[in-house]
Amino acid sequence: MTTVCLASFLIAMGGALDETAAAAPQSVIQPIQSQPVGSAIPQPPDSAAAVGEFTRAAELYLEQADYLGATEALLAGLELSGANLGSDPRLAGMLTQALFLGAESGQMMPYLDRVNQLYPEWPPLPVLKARSLLYLGELDAAKVLIDRALQAAPEDPIANAVMIDGLRLIGELEEARESTAQLLERRPLPPWLVEHLHEVQAELSS
């Protein structure tokens, strides 16, 4: 997505996003080449402020549970700045949240593909793709990615949360309940993930 397209989209939102949209740059973004997670490309003098506006827009979208809008805003900022996901935990956390929670919409695969173009080595990417595959009905392909992620990092909370989703979808509800309770005992977890797991727990208990 170009910055011009996103700026127009933000302007159309009105209200709380007017200030953010007005600050968005008006030049067309040229796609950047794939970047290692630990690297960043030089930024134009005004890009840091523009990226900040996209990040604030993404925060508003997340508050409204608009995960597509949040992802679009974050990716626009990434394309503009070549931001370093490996050294920016806040940006990486917001993108993880948007891609994880947005998976149930069935509309996140194009965004995951774009992230893969920008940062193919970003560690959460395979398991975030797995969650989208689950909600697209591609359970076998998702299981391969989940198993691989858990083999590499058995304690990873995102991978375990996606595993729980897989258990729910195949009807392994008792194992899903136990796994959810165990995951909630771990701290710290991102607040959004704790909220999600409590919702899963309530659903499994009903």
Side-chain angles (χ1 to χ4, degrees), residues 44-119:
D46 61 345
S47 68
V51 170
E53 295 302 324
F54 283 123
T55 303
R56 282 189 283 277
E59 288 176 332
L60 290 173
Y61 283 125
L62 287 173
E63 289 173 6
Q64 299 163 10
D66 183 347
Y67 305 119
L68 296 179
T71 302
E72 288 178 352
L74 289 165
L75 287 179
L78 283 170
E79 291 185 345
L80 178 64
S81 69
N84 183 347
L85 281 177
S87 64
D88 192 335
R90 178 168 171 267
L91 182 60
M94 290 173 66
L95 188 58
T96 299
Q97 178 183 356
L99 291 170
F100 181 100
L101 295 176
E104 294 177 43
S105 71
Q107 300 180 60
M108 302 308 289
M109 289 304 292
Y111 301 108
L112 289 160
D113 289 342
R114 186 64 187 132
V115 175
N116 186 57
Q117 291 173 8
L118 291 166
Y119 296 101

Side-chain angles (χ1 to χ4, degrees), residues 156-189:
D156 178 65
I158 303 299
N160 278 275
V162 176
M163 178 198 69
I164 290 166
D165 289 320
L167 292 171
R168 293 163 62 205
L169 289 173
I170 64 173
E172 299 287 345
L173 302 186
E174 185 57 37
E175 188 175 353
R177 272 191 289 270
E178 292 176 2
S179 297
T180 302
Q182 291 169 5
L183 186 52
L184 278 168
E185 290 175 358
R186 301 183 195 172
R187 290 294 187 273
L189 295 173

